[in-house]
Amino acid sequence: MPSTTVTELTIGGMTCASCAARIEKKLNRMDGVTATVNYATEKAHVEHAPDVGVDELIATVVKTGYTAEEPAPPAEEPAEEPEDPELASLRQRLTVSALLAAPVILLAMVPSLQFDDWQWLSLTLASPVVVWGGLPFHRAAWTNLRHGAATMDTLVSVGTLAAYGWSLWALFLGDAGMPGMRHGFDLTADRAHASSAIYLEVAAGVVTFILLGRYLEARAKRRAGAALRALMELGAKDVAVLRDGGEARIPVGDLRTGDLFVVRPGEKIATDGTVAEGASAVDASLLTGESLPLDVVPGSAVTGGCVNVSGRLVVEATRVGADTQLARIAKLVEEAQNGKAEVQRLADRISAVFVPVVLLIALATLVTWLLVTDDVTASFTAAVAVLIIACPCALGLATPTALMVGTGRGAQLGILIKGPEVLESTRRVDTVVLDKTGTVTTGRMRLTGVHVHGGRYGTDSADETELLRLAGALEHSSEHPVARAIAAGAAERCGELPTPKTFENVPGLGVRGSVDGRLVLVGRAALLAAEGVEAPATAEPGAVHVAWDGVARGTLTVADTVKDTSTEAVARLRALGLRPVLLTGDHRAVAEAVAAEVGVDEVIAEVLPEEKAEVIRRLRAEGRTVAMVGDGVNDAAALAGADLGLAMGTGTDAAIEASDLTLVRGDLRVAADAIRLARRTLATIRGNLGWAFGYNLAALPLAAAGLLNPMIAGLAMAFSSVFVVSNSLRLRRFK
C-alpha cells in the first residue's frame, strides 16, 4: 500500500465556517485525499497519495472559489512581522462605513432629528456603505453563487441588498421620497405602509456591524495565534561562530552541526548543542515554563532559544534548523491547532447545511407573513431579520479559537498538546499510571544508608567514616551508576578520598583493589563469597557489601531518589479525581517505599519493559480509562496504548513521539497542569458551542416571528462571534 504524503496549504478568501466546510468537501472528493480545513488558522491539512500533486490540490481549491498556496518557509519570513493586510483593509472599511452609517442610523431611530428631505441625505450616506463597505460580502456571495453554493456572505449580501433595493423602490417609485416624510423606528418588524417604508439604516447598520464583528474576530484570531508566533520567534537571529581561529557573525540559518559558537551573558543560545567550554546559568523559562535558571557546565546539553544568564559559553551545535527542540515544539503546536476535535466535526457538518436551510426559512417566513397578515412591510422585515441573524460564524469559531489559545498557552507553560482529540481523552481519564524511574524519581542513584558490622564479623570493626573512605576510593574508579553514587556520597561525607594502588572491575559482581595497604572488596555477596569472605544475609534491595582483609565490614544502601516535587504532584493528580498507580520494573520493596513516600496506594512492580503495555491493556480491560506518564524507550508502547499518554520532555524521543501530551520540564506537577489545561480547553470549546447553537436556535424563531429589527439582528450576530472568541481568549490567563 503506497504511503501518503502530507501537505499543508494556506487558504485565502474564507469568510466563515461554511467556506471551510465547502473546501474540505471538495478536497475529500478527490481520489486518495483526506483533508481538514481550519477556518481559524486558515490552513488546510491534506494527506494525499503520492500520485496526487500539490498543483492538483491548489487547483481544486481555486475552482471552489478560494486561493491556496504552500506556506513560505520560515527563513523567508521577515524579522519584523508586517501588519496583516486583511486586518488593515477591514479597519479602513469599518472606519469609513461607521462614520457614514452613524448619521443614517440616528436619523432613522430618532424621529425628532428628521427634517425635510432627510431621507435623501440618508440615501447619499448609506449608498457607499452598502456598495463599497459591503463589497467583500457581495463579491464572496457572487463567487459562491457561480459555484452553486451559499455561505454566510450570501445571507448578509441578500439581506442588505434587499433592504437597500426596497428603499430605492420606496424612494423613487413609492411615497418615501415625498418632502416632509417622517419615519418611526421599531425594535420589532415594521408595520408601516409598504410604499413609505425605507430600510437604509438596516442596510448601512448591518454592513457596519458585521464589518465590526469581522474586524474584532480577525484581530482576536491573531491574538489567539500569538503564542505560536512568539514561540517561533524565540530563536536567535544571528550567532558568533568560531572559525579559522576567530569569531564570525553569521545568520543562524547558516549554522551547521558540529560548529562551535559563542554565547555571551544576556544572549540567546542559537541552537541545540552541548557546552564545550565555560559554566553559566541558563534561563529556559520561555521554553519550559521553569522559573529557576539551570546551571550548565562542559558536557551539559542546552536548548536553542534559552537565554545565557551569567558566564561566557562555547557551545557545539548538535541540532540545527527544523531538528531543534524549539522547531519541533512549534511544529507540534501548529499541527495541534490545525486539527479538529470530534465536537468541531459536528459543528462543521451543521454549518455546511445551515445556510441553505436559513434561505428556505427566510422564504417561508416571507410567504407565511404575507398569507397571514397581508402586510408586505412586516413580512419583508421579518424575512430580512432571519437572513441577518442566522449566520453560523460563531459556530465555526467555537472550537478552533479555543484550541489555538489553549495549545499556545500550553506551549508557553511547557505543555505540548499533540492534537484536539487529546482533549476528549482527558475528560474521561480516571486512572494515572506513573513510571517510577525518571518520572517519580530522578533516575539517579544516591547513597541512602551506611551500616557498620560488628560481633561475629570480627572485633576489628571499622567506623562509618573509614568504611565510606575505603569503599568510596575504590568505587571512584568505576563508571557504574551505583559505584558513582557511593563515590559521590563518600566524598560528600568524608571529603577528599585516597587513590587506590590497584583496581579491578569484576563484571556483574563489583570491584576489588588495594587502598591504604588493604585489599578491599565492594559489591554483591557473590563477590565476597568468591574471595572466601562470609557476608551477612540482607533482604534489602540495592545493598552493597564492603569487606577488607578477609572480613565483611559493612553494608551500603543505594537507591534512586524521589524528586522533590513528586509528592505534591501526586496530591494534585488525586485532586483532579485520578487514581495514581506506580509502575516499575524495580524490586517490590523499593517500589513500595517510593509509593509510600509520594502517597500512592497501588503498586505494580517487577514488570519487564515489554510487559508495561500489557499492564495498561489489563487496566483498560477492567473498565478504567488510563493515562500513562513515562519518559523512557521502554515506556513508548505503554504510552501509545494508554487512553492518554504523557511523556516527560526530559526523556527519550521514542517516548515523546508515542505520547499525546509532552511535558517539556521533567516535573511531574506539570502532568496535573497539563490535564487541567486540556480539560479547561475542552470546557471552553463546549461552552462556545453551547452559546453558538443556543444563540441560533433562540434567535431564529424570534426573527421569524417578527420580534427583531434586522439592524438589531445584525448587531447581535456580529457580537455572538466576538463573544465566542473573547471567551476563548480567557485561556491565556491559565496558570
Side-chain angles (χ1 to χ4, degrees):
M1 182 176 173
S3 60
T4 57
T5 303
V6 176
T7 298
E8 203 167 77
L9 299 175
T10 301
I11 307 293
M14 290 194 296
T15 54
C16 67
S18 38
C19 296
R22 279 189 58 228
I23 299 167
E24 193 171 290
K25 192 174 177 183
K26 291 281 187 185
L27 286 170
N28 284 326
R29 279 182 181 168
M30 298 173 69
D31 289 336
V33 173
T34 305
T36 56
V37 180
N38 192 313
Y39 168 51
T41 58
E42 297 178 335
K43 296 262 179 75
H45 179 83
V46 189
E47 293 180 21
H48 55 99
D51 58 340
V52 178
V54 176
D55 292 344
E56 292 178 68
L57 299 173
I58 291 173
T60 300
V61 176
V62 171
K63 279 182 201 166
T64 315
Y66 303 89
T67 63
E69 60 183 10
E70 288 189 87
E76 295 175 16
E77 292 179 7
E80 286 295 320
E81 190 178 18
E83 185 181 22
D84 186 348
E86 182 196 355
L87 205 60
S89 172
L90 266 174
R91 185 168 56 237
Q92 184 186 41
R93 278 185 202 277
L94 172 61
T95 305
V96 174
S97 297
L99 290 172
L100 294 175
V104 177
I105 294 168
L106 279 172
L107 285 170
M109 292 181 72
V110 187
S112 60
L113 294 178
Q114 294 169 5
F115 49 85
D116 287 349
D117 298 326
W118 66 274
Q119 64 271 45
W120 297 104
L121 175 64
S122 289
L123 177 65
T124 305
L125 294 172
S127 295
V129 178
V130 176
V131 177
W132 176 77
L135 186 61
F137 310 124
H138 308 319
R139 190 187 289 135
W142 174 245
T143 301
N144 290 323
L145 182 64
R146 285 186 6 241
H147 290 91
T151 65
M152 166 210 160
D153 296 295
T154 309
L155 302 180
V156 175
S157 181
V158 170
T160 54
L161 288 178
Y164 184 69
W166 179 289
S167 302
L168 290 179
W169 174 81
L171 284 168
F172 289 101
L173 301 175
D175 301 331
M178 301 289 288
M181 190 275 279
R182 295 293 183 266
H183 201 302
F185 179 81
D186 198 337
L187 290 174
T188 60
D190 198 338
R191 297 173 185 275
H193 191 270
S195 62
S196 63
I198 59 172
Y199 290 93
L200 292 170
E201 80 282 2
V202 168
V206 166
V207 166
T208 303
F209 291 142
I210 293 176
L211 281 173
L212 174 63
R214 283 274 175 92
Y215 174 71
L216 293 174
E217 179 188 307
R219 202 174 68 169
K221 274 162 60 179
R222 280 183 64 77
R223 285 174 65 199
L228 178 58
R229 285 197 301 278
L231 200 62
M232 289 174 158
E233 291 164 8
L234 271 182
K237 300 292 181 280
D238 55 22
V239 57
V241 68
L242 294 177
R243 285 182 182 164
D244 303 323
E247 285 186 29
R249 205 92 197 163
I250 62 169
V252 167
D254 294 343
L255 202 59
R256 297 290 173 263
T257 303
D259 280 348
L260 292 172
F261 60 92
V262 177
V263 191
R264 292 181 173 80
E267 289 185 341
K268 287 179 181 176
I269 296 169
T271 193
D272 295 0
T274 304
V275 176
E277 292 176 28
S280 179
V282 170
D283 179 2
S285 59
L286 286 171
L287 198 64
T288 67
E290 173 61 72
S291 56
L292 293 174
L294 306 171
D295 292 324
V296 295
V297 294
S300 299
V302 289
T303 306
C306 297
V307 178
N308 180 19
V309 176
S310 49
R312 176 183 182 272
L313 295 175
V314 176
V315 179
E316 181 183 351
T318 55
R319 289 193 289 204
V320 296
D323 293 330
T324 63
Q325 187 178 358
L326 186 64
R328 287 157 69 198
I329 287 172
K331 186 67 180 168
L332 278 172
V333 175
E334 192 168 22
E335 284 172 0
Q337 292 184 350
N338 285 337
K340 289 190 181 181
E342 197 53 47
V343 284
Q344 171 68 13
R345 297 185 191 282
L346 172 65
D348 285 351
R349 287 197 294 273
I350 291 169
S351 295
V353 298
F354 195 72
V355 175
V357 169
V358 168
L359 289 171
L360 290 174
I361 292 173
L363 184 61
T365 300
L366 179 66
V367 172
T368 304
W369 270 76
L370 283 172
L371 291 173
V372 173
T373 66
D374 202 27
D375 186 335
V376 178
T377 308
S379 305
F380 173 79
T381 306
V384 170
V386 167
L387 288 173
I388 300 300
I389 197 74
C391 162
C393 216
L395 205 58
L397 289 167
T399 297
T401 52
L403 194 61
M404 285 172 74
V405 181
T407 51
R409 181 62 182 142
Q412 290 175 329
L413 296 173
I415 301 164
L416 304 182
I417 300 172
K418 288 279 184 75
E421 59 283 347
V422 171
L423 305 177
E424 306 279 359
S425 304
T426 60
R427 183 172 57 91
R428 297 189 297 270
V429 164
D430 54 34
T431 301
V432 57
V433 176
L434 307 172
D435 168 59
K436 181 181 77 70
T437 308
T439 302
V440 175
T441 64
T442 60
R444 294 186 299 276
M445 307 303 281
R446 183 170 64 91
L447 181 65
T448 55
V450 180
H451 179 66
V452 178
H453 300 323
R456 59 179 289 205
Y457 294 104
T459 53
D460 184 21
S461 61
D463 63 19
E464 189 173 297
T465 302
E466 188 178 15
L467 186 78
L468 283 172
R469 276 185 74 254
L470 297 179
L474 203 56
E475 294 283 44
H476 191 68
S477 300
S478 173
E479 289 298 313
H480 193 281
V482 171
R484 296 181 73 167
I486 291 172
E492 187 180 314
R493 299 187 196 188
C494 305
E496 191 174 348
L497 301 173
T499 304
K501 188 173 182 182
T502 61
F503 170 82
E504 182 187 354
N505 181 43
V506 184
L509 295 178
V511 293
R512 63 182 163 211
S514 174
V515 184
D516 286 352
R518 291 168 170 171
L519 180 62
V520 181
L521 305 172
V522 184
R524 296 186 177 189
L527 174 67
L528 273 65
E531 297 288 332
V533 178
E534 183 185 358
T538 176
E540 191 170 3
V544 177
H545 298 281
V546 183
W548 63 78
D549 297 340
V551 178
R553 307 288 179 169
T555 306
L556 306 176
T557 308
V558 174
D560 188 1
T561 53
V562 172
K563 292 180 181 177
D564 296 337
T565 57
S566 291
T567 303
E568 184 187 345
V570 169
R572 288 190 187 184
L573 290 166
R574 283 189 183 279
L576 289 170
L578 303 176
R579 180 179 172 185
V581 177
L582 190 69
L583 177 66
T584 180
D586 213 336
H587 297 285
R588 174 161 291 279
V590 173
E592 287 177 347
V594 170
E597 186 175 342
V598 299
V600 175
D601 302 326
E602 190 173 348
V603 177
I604 302 173
E606 300 175 11
V607 176
L608 294 173
E610 59 271 21
E611 292 173 345
K612 285 189 175 183
E614 181 54 42
V615 169
I616 299 296
R617 279 194 291 274
R618 191 174 73 239
L619 290 172
R620 293 183 69 195
E622 292 172 6
R624 301 200 211 178
T625 304
V626 181
M628 165 78 187
V629 188
D631 72 327
V633 172
N634 60 356
D635 298 322
L639 287 166
D643 295 284
L644 180 70
L646 296 93
M648 307 295 270
T650 48
T652 64
D653 288 351
I656 292 168
E657 285 299 317
S659 68
D660 302 305
L661 284 158
T662 299
L663 316 175
V664 177
R665 278 200 334 256
D667 186 340
L668 189 57
R669 290 177 301 180
V670 185
D673 291 337
I675 291 172
R676 272 200 313 120
L677 174 62
R679 286 181 176 177
R680 179 82 60 83
T681 304
L682 183 64
T684 302
I685 289 171
R686 291 179 176 277
N688 285 350
L689 285 170
W691 164 264
F693 276 121
Y695 164 82
N696 280 124
L697 289 173
L700 264 176
L702 290 176
L707 299 176
L708 280 179
N709 180 290
M711 187 173 67
I712 304 300
L715 184 63
M717 185 278 291
F719 277 95
S720 74
S721 297
V722 175
F723 171 85
V724 162
V725 177
S726 302
N727 188 44
S728 298
L729 287 170
R730 291 191 307 129
L731 285 167
R732 294 173 76 189
R733 298 198 294 270
F734 177 88
K735 289 186 172 63

